[in-house]
């Protein structure tokens, strides 16, 4: 482990890894990542794999449009073709006129940003996923350019390219404290020793607040327990898109690359550091999933796990420069959207660090909006 | 067909992972069982790693010189045995 670096990144999840990659691509040398367990272990490996542009506000739509462009190319770019975004779409099932009205407005906004979403009929929805029970569905919001990617391959591919680019990745190395001197960052103190750094990026998501609080930086990010399940594999292609139903407990489900059905519902607990899976969750998943696709009643669940949504009060991340401390940056509190947003956030953050500004709408995620009482409209969130 | 017999030795029956796949990762420097699990999906099938995890731990120990007791076994997830969604739903939906 080096004892002096230019940029120290705290957190070896998708945000830290992707930002390191964007920085290295811009010619920054001497980058190090500190991860208290193994890369991806915090939230990335526990996520639901979805990547969508169907948000209800311009900033998230713009960011996700950029993210999808980048997700589409990253595999080729890093010479790791196994990693590819599958554009299998997101299908929001709508059951009431109010929902349809709201989604029509969202679709108009998404279309104005060049996202080809549209409202479709229940019959069209069933053509996309043949097993759907559409007896109560009155319409669906569909975007064919949304999709999913494999978080395991994303982390593996990024780690591989980062090592080639000379980025130091320190696993099982926990940052205990960020050192500050005369109002500027001096480095980080880890359980394996101290490191001097000119710039520190806190990409610790659920854990970001712990380090912030030690510096007196107050940005509200709280850990909530969310859970996921995966079933035995089914024939690939049975459930191509991410299917979402707010009527059914905020359920979301899709098939992962080996054919298993992965997903969850919006039952959350917290704030808490406990991520033990709960029986209530599994039972509610079974109930709601088998109402959306009745044949799922005959499918077995093989694994259930818990993970954190690092939530802010408006369910949008806190991204930007920390004004009180020179050289300190934050990208955390992703509220369940870190995996999908990572490429755009990384690009924006790398530009912010190297050029002082970004063309992406990072100001929407201004960490100081909470203090000023300027909360955003809550991001469309599931799971 | 390759002549490498390690391509015919199945370590994980649930997800059809061979000895060669595991050893290739270790040769690339990926020696953490948690990362091997995520890349190959060992231990994530219906048997929850009852067969493959001890075998993979053994391969890691042999190839890296680590003691087998120092290799931390990945978490076992609930349900311990696969369970049908219909069973969980129970009587509620029965007419």
């Amino acid at each position: 482990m080096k004892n002096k670096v230019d940029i120290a990144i705290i957190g070896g999840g998708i945000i830290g890894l992707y930002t390191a990659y964007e920085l290295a691509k811009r010619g920054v040398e001497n980058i190090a990542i500190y991860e208290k367990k193994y890369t991806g272990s915090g939230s990335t490996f526990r996520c639901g794999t979805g990547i969508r542009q169907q948000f209800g506000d311009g900033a998230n739509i713009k960011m996700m449009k950029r993210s999808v462009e980048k997700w589409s190319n990253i595999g080729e770019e890093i010479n790791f073709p196994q990693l590819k975004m599958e554009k299998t779409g997101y299908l929001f099932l709508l059951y009431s006129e109010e929902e349809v009205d709201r989604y029509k407005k969202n679709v108009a906004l998404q279309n104005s940003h060049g996202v080809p979403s549209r409202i479709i009929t229940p019959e069209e929805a069933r053509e996309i996923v043949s097993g759907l029970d559409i007896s109560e569905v009155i319409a669906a919001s569909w975007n064919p350019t949304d999709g999913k990617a494999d978080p395991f391959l994303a982390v593996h591919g990024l780690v591989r390219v980062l090592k080639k680019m000379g980025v130091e990745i320190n696993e099982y190395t926990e940052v205990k404290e960020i050192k500050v001197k005369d109002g500027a960052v001096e480095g980080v103190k880890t359980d394996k020793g101290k490191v001097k750094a000119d710039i520190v990026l806190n990409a610790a998501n659920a854990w970001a607040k712990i380090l912030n609080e030690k510096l007196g930086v107050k940005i509200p990010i709280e850990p909530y327990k969310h859970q996921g399940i995966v079933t035995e594999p089914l024939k690939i292609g049975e459930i191509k898109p991410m299917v979402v139903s707010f009527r059914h407990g905020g359920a979301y489900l899709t098939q992962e690359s080996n054919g298993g059905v992965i997903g969850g519902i919006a039952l959350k607990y917290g704030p808490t550091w406990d991520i033990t899976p709960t029986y209530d969750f599994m039972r509610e998943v079974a109930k709601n999933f088998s109402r959306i696709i009745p044949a799922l009643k005959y499918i077995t669940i093989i694994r259930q796990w818990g993970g954190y949504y690092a939530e802010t009060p408006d369910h949008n991340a806190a991204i930007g420069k920390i004004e009180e401390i020179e050289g300190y940056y934050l990208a955390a509190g992703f509220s369940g959207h870190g995996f999908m947003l990572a490429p755009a956030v990384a690009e924006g953050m790398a530009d912010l660090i190297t050029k002082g500004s970004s063309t992406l709408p990072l100001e929407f995620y201004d960490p100081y909006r909470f203090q000023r009482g300027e909360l955003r409209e809550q991001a469309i969130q599931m799971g | 067909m390759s002549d490498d017999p390690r391509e015919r030795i199945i370590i994980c029956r649930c997800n059809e992972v061979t000895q060669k796949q595991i050893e290739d990762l270790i040769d690339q420097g990926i020696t953490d069982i948690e990362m091997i699990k995520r890349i190959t999906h060992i231990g994530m099938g219906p048997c929850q790693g009852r067969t493959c995890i001890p075998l993979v731990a053994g391969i890691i120990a042999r190839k890296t010189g680590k003691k087998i007791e120092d290799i931390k076994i990945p978490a076992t997830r609930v349900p311990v045995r696969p369970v049908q969604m219909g069973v969980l739903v129970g009587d509620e939906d029965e007419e």
Side-chain angles (χ1 to χ4, degrees), chain A residues 351-371:
Chain A
D351 282 341
L352 186 65
I353 291 172
T354 58
K355 294 192 287 202
S357 68
S358 160
T359 52
L360 289 164
L362 288 189
E363 63 285 350
F364 180 80
Y365 307 94
D366 178 358
Y368 293 93
R369 68 184 185 275
F370 309 107
Q371 263 180 29

Side-chain angles (χ1 to χ4, degrees), chain B residues 54-86:
Chain B
L55 295 173
V56 174
I59 296 170
I60 295 171
R62 173 166 54 76
K63 286 188 72 84
T64 65
K66 273 186 205 161
K67 281 193 196 151
I68 197 141
E69 52 269 32
D70 292 340
I71 297 168
K72 207 171 158 276
I73 299 303
T76 304
R77 306 288 187 200
V78 288
V80 172
R81 289 189 187 283
V83 51
Q84 218 176 49
M85 290 204 209

Side-chain angles (χ1 to χ4, degrees), chain A residues 37-39 45-46 150 152-153 155-156 159-160 163 171-172 229-233 256-258 261 277-279 282-283 285-291 296-306, chain B residues 14-15 25 28-35 37-49 72 74-95:
Chain A
K37 285 180 79 185
Y38 48 92
T39 48
F45 283 169
R46 300 170 183 277
D150 183 332
F152 303 153
L153 290 178
V155 166
H156 179 38
V159 166
R160 204 169 139 256
K163 284 185 177 162
E171 293 182 295
Y172 301 98
I229 62 103
V230 68
T231 71
E232 61 185 321
E256 53 166 11
S257 53
N258 77 343
V261 178
T278 64
Y279 175 70
M282 195 187 295
R283 193 171 178 285
V285 161
K287 194 167 88 187
N288 287 295
F289 280 21
S290 53
R291 283 179 186 158
L296 286 176
K297 209 181 272 189
Y298 305 104
I299 304 304
T300 59
I301 294 173
I302 59 174
R303 295 168 71 76
Q304 179 189 355
W305 64 94
Chain B
C14 299
N15 289 320
L25 288 176
Q28 284 172 39
I30 298 163
T31 58
D32 189 334
I33 197 163
E34 295 284 0
M35 289 310 289
K37 167 180 155 182
R38 265 83 185 182
I39 295 165
T40 64
H41 293 205
I42 55 148
M44 298 171 82
C47 95
Q48 290 269 21
K72 207 171 158 276
T76 304
R77 306 288 187 200
V78 288
V80 172
R81 289 189 187 283
V83 51
Q84 218 176 49
M85 290 204 209
V87 172
L88 290 161
V89 175
D91 293 330
E92 198 167 288
D93 279 1
E94 301 285 325
E95 302 303 328

Side-chain angles (χ1 to χ4, degrees), chain A residues 199-220:
Chain A
I199 288 169
V200 173
L201 167 62
N202 182 345
N205 208 25
W207 295 270
K209 196 180 91 165
I210 299 171
L211 293 166
N212 279 339
E213 278 180 344
K214 287 182 187 168
L215 300 172
V217 172
K218 288 194 178 64
I219 289 153

